[in-house]
Amino acid sequence: MHRLYILFFLCSFTMYGQLSDLARIEYTYFPQRDSDNSFRRFRTFIKYPIKLNDKGSYLIPGIEYRNFNFRYRDEVNFDKTDLERFSSFEASLGYTFKLKNDWRFAAQFGGIVASNFENGEIDKDDILFTGSVFFIKDHTKKEIPKPWRLILGIRYSTTAGRPFPLPFINYYKEFKPNWSFVLGVPKSNIKYRFKKKNAVQAFATLDGFFANIQNNRNFNDSITAEEKVANNISMTIVLAGLGYERFITKNLVFYTYGGFTILNDIRLRDEDQENVLTLNDQNSFYIRGGLKLKL
């Protein structure tokens, strides 16, 4: 189950990152090593902060769309039809307000529909729910020698398959002129900004997806001959690499990241979220790029 916890932390970080990102459009690609398989993802989202009062309270509705194209060419003993393209749609509502002593509270609740949609409609198993609460202390806008930000929070997701929330922590600091770092899960990095509009970074991060398979796949395990049932698919990636950002305007940023996966785990799972088949676990090259609109 530890890989589901990784996906859980991934969702937690995504929630906070989108508090400062108003919109994003992104494309991801990486081939599968020693295989003809490959993975592609298109992702876009938009959020619209609504100011509630002059005390720093905002309501933040948002929508997100992801399209996953997993080109699966390996030979298997079950039907691969309609197992190459998955989509997810998310609607979320965030709320944030200021607390005392420079702290800020933030919460987000959302519903996700993630599936291969081979039946042409939404099944009950396609629907996931998430909820997060965060406490943020942000000193990045203050005139101090070494600006910093601390985020503490918890998140619950029906994806994780556990009846309790999990914690999250993230720490950011500017430790020298033009230099900063982030320590946390699912991303840590060290970044250098130069010529005002450019930045490079070295990073380690997580990526992945989770989706329901509408018509479960039955197959016999090639080793144990045991009959198994695949209800959903998940991918968990741990990777390290280098990234580049270019500030086109003060708020619009072009970015590209490239690296090599340390963990590349694509699996089919049963209804209890237990592994039933590893589709691919070979590490490979990874590249991601896009545009984001920041606050």
Side-chain angles (χ1 to χ4, degrees):
M1 297 297 293
H2 68 283
R3 292 181 177 86
L4 291 180
Y5 289 127
I6 292 176
L7 285 173
F8 187 89
F9 280 118
L10 173 65
C11 293
S12 300
F13 182 81
T14 301
M15 181 270 174
Y16 174 74
Q18 292 179 7
L19 287 177
S20 60
D21 291 350
L22 297 179
R24 182 181 297 187
I25 183 169
E26 177 182 278
Y27 182 77
T28 300
Y29 169 75
F30 71 91
Q32 302 295 291
R33 187 179 178 186
D34 298 328
S35 171
D36 292 330
N37 301 342
S38 64
F39 169 76
R40 297 165 172 82
R41 178 185 66 198
F42 172 80
R43 174 192 179 201
T44 185
F45 71 78
I46 185 169
K47 290 181 175 287
Y48 185 77
I50 301 172
K51 188 175 181 179
L52 300 179
N53 53 49
D54 294 329
K55 298 180 179 180
S57 298
Y58 289 86
L59 199 64
I60 313 172
I63 55 174
E64 178 171 342
Y65 169 71
R66 300 188 187 201
N67 182 278
F68 305 93
N69 184 8
F70 178 50
R71 296 188 176 181
Y72 192 43
R73 300 294 182 259
D74 291 349
E75 293 296 326
V76 293
N77 61 354
F78 60 89
D79 184 12
K80 295 187 294 183
T81 306
D82 295 318
L83 284 184
E84 291 194 343
R85 191 173 296 276
F86 295 82
S87 297
S88 72
F89 304 85
E90 178 178 3
S92 62
L93 183 64
Y95 176 59
T96 180
F97 61 87
K98 290 182 178 180
L99 299 172
K100 295 180 179 180
N101 301 319
D102 296 325
W103 283 95
R104 174 175 285 275
F105 173 83
Q108 177 172 292
F109 302 93
I112 304 171
V113 179
S115 175
N116 60 341
F117 297 108
E118 58 186 309
N119 294 333
E121 57 186 23
I122 298 175
D123 293 346
K124 63 180 179 62
D125 293 331
D126 299 338
I127 303 173
L128 307 170
F129 296 99
T130 64
S132 307
V133 294
F134 290 88
F135 293 91
I136 306 163
K137 194 160 192 174
D138 191 349
H139 285 181
T140 59
K141 306 300 182 182
K142 292 191 173 184
E143 296 295 330
I144 57 176
K146 297 180 180 181
W148 59 274
R149 178 180 60 238
L150 176 66
I151 311 165
L152 303 171
I154 56 173
R155 178 179 174 89
Y156 175 77
S157 172
T158 54
T159 305
R162 296 296 189 187
F164 51 84
L166 293 178
F168 170 79
I169 184 170
N170 180 272
Y171 180 66
Y172 165 87
K173 187 172 185 177
E174 299 174 24
F175 62 97
K176 291 179 65 176
N178 301 326
W179 285 91
S180 65
F181 69 81
V182 171
L183 291 178
V185 175
K187 183 176 182 179
S188 295
N189 70 8
I190 183 168
K191 180 184 292 187
Y192 174 69
R193 187 165 178 172
F194 61 99
K195 294 184 179 179
K196 295 184 179 181
K197 293 186 177 182
N198 300 275
V200 293
Q201 64 175 285
F203 66 89
T205 190
L206 307 176
D207 203 343
F209 77 91
F210 179 93
N212 182 51
I213 299 172
Q214 288 193 335
N215 294 325
N216 301 336
R217 298 304 193 270
N218 299 302
F219 62 95
N220 292 321
D221 189 288
S222 59
I223 299 177
T224 66
E226 177 185 359
E227 184 172 281
K228 296 185 176 182
V229 180
N231 295 72
N232 52 69
I233 184 172
S234 71
M235 181 178 73
T236 305
I237 305 168
V238 181
L239 66 143
L242 301 174
Y244 169 75
E245 296 179 350
R246 168 73 178 182
F247 286 77
I248 300 173
T249 67
K250 180 180 178 180
N251 303 106
L252 183 63
V253 183
F254 165 80
Y255 62 94
T256 181
Y257 304 103
F260 199 81
T261 60
I262 301 170
L263 170 69
N264 178 22
D265 185 20
I266 304 174
R267 295 174 181 260
L268 298 180
R269 302 179 186 273
D270 62 20
E271 61 182 355
D272 298 319
Q273 309 304 338
E274 298 295 335
N275 300 332
V276 298
L277 181 66
T278 299
L279 299 181
N280 196 288
D281 59 3
Q282 298 297 308
N283 295 322
S284 65
F285 176 73
Y286 172 105
I287 188 169
R288 176 165 58 99
L291 291 169
K292 57 185 175 182
L293 182 65
K294 300 176 67 67
L295 286 173

